[in-house]
Structures are given as structure tokens and as C-alpha cells.
Amino acid sequence: MRKNIVAGNWKMNKNHMEGARLASEILDGLRGRDIGCEVILFPTFTTISSVIDVVKGSAISVGGQNLYSERDGAFTGEISAEMLKNLGCQYVLVGHSERRNIFGEDSVFLSKKLRIALEYGLFPLFCVGELLEQREAGKAGEVVEKQLKDVLNGLGGDEISRVTIAYEPVWAIGTGKTATASDAANMHSLIRDVIKSIFGSEISQRMIIMYGGSVKAGNAAQLLNEPDIDGALVGGAALKADSFLKIIYASAK
Ligand code: PGA
């Protein structure tokens, strides 16, 4: 049985004081509850430390929103896997559509990032998803399959076992438009088939595949009810404790 993960991607929001406050409100909302899912917060780099101070010893994990593809060196402005790991991060986002589309990150680069994250013992949350024109052209499945194969092919069994996937249709991110539960479920099952074709059935059945793109308190239960949707990667609605907590409460499998 796969567990659900509910993760908050704070993007470039919340300074270290605001982040600590939000983390402590989320912690308060979870206290004394059997939440039955894993909760991860992805604050911006400068906010990570203060969030870790707040959630230390609790069930909440913390991750980085990005990392660089090299171990160390002259890469001004970049953050390494080792730095995240030493700070106390367990997870890192790789391949978020904003990295792909605003910063031009391609599969070759993402592949290196994912591998270096694994090398340093981080759990990569690998994001895939199609653009609106690709969906309208009937190419969504093809695009997502290629994104998966280009980066995941060649990983060993224990490497892929530490990867989590998030399907985030780009047209649904921050737009208020959500994939219908059945469209999302279809894509999740296609993703599981792709994983199966590369890594076999056992690994594909264990793979956690989250959905992201305008997940809110009002639509979370319906999405998370789909057997192939194992959680939510939440942007906008993760910036307020109240709406994020409602999504967590809705995720009990
Ligand atoms: P959103 O963002 O929930 O604001 O659509 C999701 C994401 O980008 O991970």
C-alpha cells in the first residue's frame, strides 16, 4: 500500500520569519491527529533553516526547491546537494515546470541533478507535465513519457526506489484550472505503465505519483480519491496554513 504525500511548494514566497510562522501553524494543525500521509515543505533556500528549526522532531519533512548538478566549485549563486543534505533536507524538487520553462532546464541537466541528489542521499521529487498546446494536440502522454524516460532511464533499482514523481500539467499550475480527477488518473496510470516498462511491476506499484496544479481544499478529496493519485504537490494553497491543512486532512487514504 502506497502512502500519500502532501507537499507544499512555497516557490519564491515567505521570508525566513514568515516561513517559520507558517510552519508552526501547520504543525499546530497536525498536533494530536493521525494524518496518515507524509507532509513535506519546500521553502525557498533562505527560509529552509528556520523551517527546519520549527519542524525538527515532528512528522513534517523539509526539502529544497532546487539544487545544482555539480558537487561544488565556482558556480556563483548555486546550491549543492551536500548543502541541502547537511542543512537537514530530506527531499529536493527536480524538473518543476517553472525550472524547465522559465530557466530552460532540459532533461540532460535534470538527469544530472537527479543523480547528484541521489548520490547525497536526498529523495528527489521529479516533476513532469505537458504544456496546454501539447495537450490540445493530443500529445500529453507522449510528452510525459519522454520526460520520464529521458531522466529516469538507467537508474538502478535502489535509486528509482528513492524517487517520487509529481505529475503537474503546466496549464494547471497557478491558473485555477485543475485536471479533472479522471484525466489526472489516466495520466497517473500511464506514468505507472512507463515506470513498469523500465523498472518492472513491483517498482511501478510502489512508485508514489503525486498530482499538482491548482490543488485546493475544495478539489483535493476528489483527486486524492483516485487510487493512482498518491498525494498532492501544492503551490498557492500551501501558502496559508488553513488551506494546506484542509488538503492534508483530505488526503487520508
Ligand atoms: P499551484 O502550484 O498549486 O499554485 O498550481 C503547484 C506547483 O507548482 O507545484
Side-chain angles (χ1 to χ4, degrees), residues 7-11 93 96-98 127 166 168-170 172-177 211-216 232-239:
N9 173 12
W10 294 356
K11 309 193 181 186
L93 294 179
H96 190 277
S97 67
E98 283 147 22
C127 307
E168 299 203 299
V170 180
I173 295 179
T175 57
K177 290 184 200 146
Y211 170 81
S214 297
V215 177
K216 301 201 164 31
L233 180 53
V234 187
L239 295 175

Side-chain angles (χ1 to χ4, degrees), residues 213-247:
S214 297
V215 177
K216 301 201 164 31
N219 59 23
Q222 204 187 1
L223 287 159
L224 295 169
N225 233 352
E226 293 289 338
D228 257 328
I229 300 183
D230 309 316
L233 180 53
V234 187
L239 295 175
K240 289 214 167 82
D242 180 48
S243 47
F244 189 58
L245 284 164
K246 284 188 180 138
I247 297 170

